[in-house]
């Protein structure tokens, strides 16, 4: 048997706007998007692009595995691993680091357009996302996760050439980094 354990994202504040709960970035005060409380509590998708420029990408911090371990984001996962003991195989997923990441940062339609119109911007954002995902995976491995699940929801939506350009190299580098 096995268990899936997810590392929660950065904390969000929530506010009810026109009858719908929305996540609010506590650092900027910007509305991120509607929150899906039934599906896990995460933001469904941003209402507006969170990243617009290369400078926006550069401002995204990359916490080290040590910084992640020092915080409290992994407490729930640690508890699952403790309770599972050797009885279960525990998998987790690092942060998004392929096209799906772009859809959360730019919105689904804009991300698809960006793959065509702004490929260099996409790669810059994906490089940052990959660096974050690697550090998150290192932290998760340190506390005892047995394996990682990596995938891209949009792999069947984009062309094979786009998958080869915007997903495959990032998956490969992720696996090489945490091997």
């Amino acid at each position: 048997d096995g268990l899936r354990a997810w590392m929660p994202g950065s904390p969000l504040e929530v506010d009810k706007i026109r009858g719908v709960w929305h996540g609010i970035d506590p650092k900027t005060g910007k509305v991120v998007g509607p929150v899906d409380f039934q599906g896990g509590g995460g933001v469904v998708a941003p209402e507006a692009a969170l990243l617009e420029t290369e400078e926006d990408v550069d401002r995204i911090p990359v916490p080290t595995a040590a910084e992640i371990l020092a915080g409290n984001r992994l407490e729930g996962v640690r508890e699952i691993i403790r309770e599972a003991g050797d009885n279960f195989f525990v998998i987790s997923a690092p942060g998004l680091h392929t096209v799906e990441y772009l859809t959360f940062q730019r919105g689904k339609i804009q991300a698809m357009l960006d793959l065509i119109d702004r490929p260099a911007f996409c790669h810059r954002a994906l490089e940052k996302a990959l660096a974050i995902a690697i550090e998150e995976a290192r932290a998760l491995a340190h506390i005892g996760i047995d394996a990682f699940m990596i995938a891209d929801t949009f792999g069947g939506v984009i062309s094979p050439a786009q998958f080869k350009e915007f997903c495959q190299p990032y998956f490969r580098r992720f696996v090489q980094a945490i091997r």
Side-chain angles (χ1 to χ4, degrees), residues 21 34-44:
W21 287 101
V35 177
D36 174 18
F37 287 112
Q38 294 178 348
V43 172
V44 176

Side-chain angles (χ1 to χ4, degrees), residues 61-82:
V62 179
T64 65
E67 291 169 333
I68 295 167
L69 288 164
N72 63 359
R73 283 179 64 196
L74 297 179
E75 289 312 307
V77 178
R78 280 186 174 111
E79 181 67 23
I80 289 168
I81 292 169
R82 267 194 302 275

Side-chain angles (χ1 to χ4, degrees), residues 97-136:
H97 56 281
T98 57
V99 173
E100 192 166 359
Y101 174 80
L102 296 173
T103 67
F104 275 87
Q105 297 301 319
R106 300 280 293 151
K108 292 175 188 170
I109 294 170
Q110 189 59 54
M112 297 300 117
L113 294 171
D114 288 344
L115 295 177
I116 298 164
D117 298 334
R118 297 179 70 193
F121 172 80
C122 292
H123 283 294
R124 191 170 187 153
L126 293 175
E127 288 293 332
K128 183 68 73 135
L130 176 64
I132 294 167
I134 289 169
E135 292 301 317
E136 289 176 349

